[in-house]
């Protein structure tokens, strides 16, 4: 499928990428009923094939016991490090985190259809990502577009989705330039993620290299991005991933280099962010090397979690839903090395942590009253896991 063998694991960093639980359930009563009856989910695992993985792994996740089991491996895919699903879970998209594709600089994005009988994937097509080392992507609610972040390329691209789920050539490309004070990591723009607000009027592009979230107006009809404004993070912080609270009033940014979480208020009408708090993700007495990776809010909106690579932990905070501010709860060791990505199941009962460098996914139970995590003893060994996407078990 991928016609190039040149890839990057970005050895100069502790690597990049993220993931989240994804499920499209609409209507409060419908959602509650479906969640109550759900006993099992499927988990798609994005990986680094340069780290010994064979492609995208498909797992079953038992929502009663927390057990994970391997269903199948979808091979023949190079460096499928980050994954995204359409809103109907009919198609899956994967970045191919390469620095050369089809003899040209840059990576690729691959499209797959999902077999509703067994959750398997069928390759549809593949397009150039228009920048090196694509590390993040997201689909729009109307399933018309996929937006991808190119880390080494320092840009973000928008691809139209065809009727068959495949991807067309990019309809919009925004290029970042600049540097930051960290000479090793911020020598150029490094786009790390793209996030859309609830109404998909604005796209928020986190750039680790220039310490900014660049905000673009997004045309949901044409896919065009146009510059709106910038939010400047603290110099040297290295913005990585960004997420909105369910109430739409607040947003949270995890900074890879500074190892902090920035709390922001959000003016949806103006597409504007304002910082209201910043907290460390590490214990005060930890002095070894660490970089942050992923960030997710609990389905209840009461808690938020971030991953530390080096300290190898998940940090937990309580959210004040009136002010958006955070209060520290605890640190929980992930039972492995380099927790790149993690996912919270839609019932809010479990957190799954992908330990990239130790090749494992560990399962933690979530206390829905306190937000605290406890080890379940459940884990599965998967080489170089990078991204987790949860969907309903079509076969169950």
């Amino acid at each position: 499928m991928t016609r190039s063998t040149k890839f990057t694991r970005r050895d100069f960093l502790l690597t990049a990428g993220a993931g989240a639980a994804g499920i499209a359930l609409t209507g409060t009563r419908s959602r509650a009923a479906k969640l109550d009856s759900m006993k099992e989910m499927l988990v798609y695992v994005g990986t680094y094939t340069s780290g010994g993985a064979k492609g995208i792994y498909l797992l079953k996740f038992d929502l009663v016991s927390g057990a994970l089991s391997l269903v199948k491996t979808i091979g023949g895919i190079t460096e499928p490090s980050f994954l995204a699903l359409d809103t109907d879970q009919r198609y899956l998209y994967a970045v191919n985190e390469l620095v050369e594709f089809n003899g040209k600089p840059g990576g690729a994005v691959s499209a797959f259809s999902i077999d509703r009988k067994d959750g398997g994937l069928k390759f549809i097509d593949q397009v150039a990502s228009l920048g090196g080392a694509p590390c993040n992507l997201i689909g729009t609610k109307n399933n018309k577009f996929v937006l991808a972040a190119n880390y080494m390329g320092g840009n973000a691209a928008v691809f139209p989705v065809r009727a068959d789920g495949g991807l067309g050539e990019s309809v919009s490309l925004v290029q970042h330039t600049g540097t930051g004070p960290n000479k090793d990591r911020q020598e150029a723009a490094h786009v790390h993620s793209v996030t859309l607000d609830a109404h998909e009027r604005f796209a928020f592009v986190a750039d680790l290299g220039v310490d900014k979230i660049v905000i673009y107006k997004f045309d949901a009809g044409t896919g065009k991005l146009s510059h709106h404004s910038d939010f400047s993070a603290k110099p040297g912080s290295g913005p990585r991933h960004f997420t909105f609270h369910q109430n739409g009033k607040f947003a949270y940014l995890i900074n890879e280099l500074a190892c902090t979480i920035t709390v922001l208020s959000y003016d949806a009408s103006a597409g504007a962010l304002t910082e209201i708090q910043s907290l460390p993700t590490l214990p005060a007495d930890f002095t070894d090397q660490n970089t942050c990776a992923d960030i997710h809010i609990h389905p209840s909106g009461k808690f938020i979690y971030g991953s530390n690579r080096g300290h190898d932990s998940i940090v937990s905070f309580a959210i004040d839903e009136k002010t958006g501010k955070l209060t520290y709860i605890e640190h929980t060791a992930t039972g492995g090395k380099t927790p790149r990505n993690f996912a919270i199941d839609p019932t809010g009962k479990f957190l799954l942590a992908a330990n990239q460098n130790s090749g494992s996914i560990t399962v933690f139970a979530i206390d829905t009253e306190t937000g605290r995590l406890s080890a379940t003893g459940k884990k599965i060994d998967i080489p170089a896991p990078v991204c987790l996407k949860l969907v309903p078990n079509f076969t169950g």
Side-chain angles (χ1 to χ4, degrees):
M1 298 170 192
T2 302
R3 294 171 289 278
S4 171
T5 58
K6 292 190 178 181
F7 53 79
T8 174
R9 294 189 64 206
R10 284 179 270 150
D11 294 334
F12 58 94
L13 37 135
L14 284 174
T15 65
I23 182 170
L25 298 175
T26 58
T28 303
R29 292 181 181 177
S30 171
R31 177 183 174 83
K34 288 183 179 180
L35 290 180
D36 286 344
S37 63
M38 197 179 304
K39 303 299 182 186
E40 194 174 63
M41 299 200 78
L42 298 178
V43 185
Y44 292 97
V45 183
T47 68
Y48 277 130
T49 52
S50 58
K54 302 300 182 183
I56 297 174
Y57 291 75
L58 176 61
L59 314 178
K60 281 187 179 180
F61 178 52
D62 189 320
L63 285 169
V64 178
S65 69
L68 288 165
S69 57
L70 178 64
V71 177
K72 64 171 61 179
T73 303
I74 299 95
I77 311 164
T78 306
E79 303 291 69
S81 64
F82 195 87
L83 312 175
L85 294 148
D86 77 320
T87 57
D88 300 319
Q89 285 89 48
R90 297 177 302 162
Y91 304 106
L92 181 142
Y93 302 94
V95 300
N96 302 107
E97 196 172 329
L98 306 163
V99 294
E100 182 179 295
F101 173 66
N102 281 351
K104 298 179 180 179
V109 181
S110 297
F112 303 85
S113 61
I114 297 175
D115 189 328
R116 308 294 287 198
K117 294 181 180 179
D118 62 6
L121 302 177
K122 182 180 180 181
F123 177 74
I124 301 174
D125 66 5
Q126 189 177 50
V127 295
S129 68
L130 304 182
C135 61
N136 179 268
L137 76 169
I138 187 174
T140 57
K141 292 178 182 177
N142 62 13
N143 295 328
K144 287 186 176 181
F145 301 101
V146 168
L147 292 77
N150 292 301
Y151 180 87
M152 297 297 289
N155 60 35
V158 183
F159 302 93
V161 178
R162 302 193 310 261
D164 67 350
L167 299 173
E169 296 301 315
S170 173
V171 294
S172 191
L173 178 70
V174 289
Q175 182 67 50
H176 294 185
T177 59
T179 60
N182 186 321
K183 294 181 180 180
D184 293 330
R185 295 293 312 280
Q186 296 182 309
E187 81 295 347
H190 292 305
V191 170
H192 223 312
S193 63
V194 183
T195 306
L196 294 167
D197 68 354
H199 300 290
E200 299 193 337
R201 294 179 56 235
F202 297 98
F204 299 78
V205 180
D207 193 318
L208 179 147
V210 301
D211 290 322
K212 288 181 179 180
I213 297 177
V214 184
I215 305 170
Y216 295 92
K217 291 181 179 178
F218 177 65
D219 188 320
T222 66
K224 295 294 183 180
L225 295 170
S226 56
H227 184 263
H228 176 64
S229 64
D230 296 345
F231 169 80
S232 294
K234 290 181 175 61
S237 57
R240 182 181 172 98
H241 282 181
F242 178 78
T243 187
F244 283 99
H245 193 275
Q246 292 92 323
N247 64 20
K249 298 178 181 179
F250 307 109
Y252 300 86
L253 169 68
I254 195 162
N255 298 295
E256 178 172 334
L257 304 181
C259 300
T260 56
I261 292 177
T262 303
V263 184
L264 305 133
S265 63
Y266 179 54
D267 183 336
S269 60
L273 298 169
T274 303
E275 181 175 345
I276 56 179
Q277 187 187 29
S278 184
L279 291 173
T281 65
L282 292 168
D285 60 355
F286 183 80
T287 58
D288 291 340
Q289 290 189 344
N290 185 81
T291 57
C292 287
D294 205 6
I295 186 168
H296 294 294
I297 297 173
H298 190 269
S300 68
K302 295 165 59 177
F303 314 109
I304 192 167
Y305 303 88
S307 61
N308 287 304
R309 301 171 298 175
H311 189 249
D312 294 337
S313 67
I314 301 293
V315 62
S316 308
F317 294 94
I319 299 174
D320 185 319
E321 293 191 60
K322 291 183 179 179
T323 67
K325 291 185 176 182
L326 305 182
T327 302
Y328 171 76
I329 299 173
E330 65 177 355
H331 285 88
T332 305
T334 62
K337 295 181 180 179
T338 320
R340 169 73 166 271
N341 175 241
F342 64 94
I344 301 171
D345 87 86
T347 70
K349 296 189 298 183
F350 295 102
L351 183 150
L352 286 66
N355 296 301
Q356 179 185 334
N357 287 358
S358 56
S360 65
I361 300 170
T362 50
V363 181
F364 297 86
I366 303 173
D367 185 319
T368 57
E369 294 299 319
T370 67
R372 291 182 177 273
L373 304 179
S374 58
T376 64
K378 307 294 185 182
K379 63 171 284 191
I380 190 169
D381 293 330
I382 299 290
V386 179
C387 178
L388 307 176
K389 291 294 178 183
L390 278 65
V391 299
N393 185 356
F394 312 118
T395 65

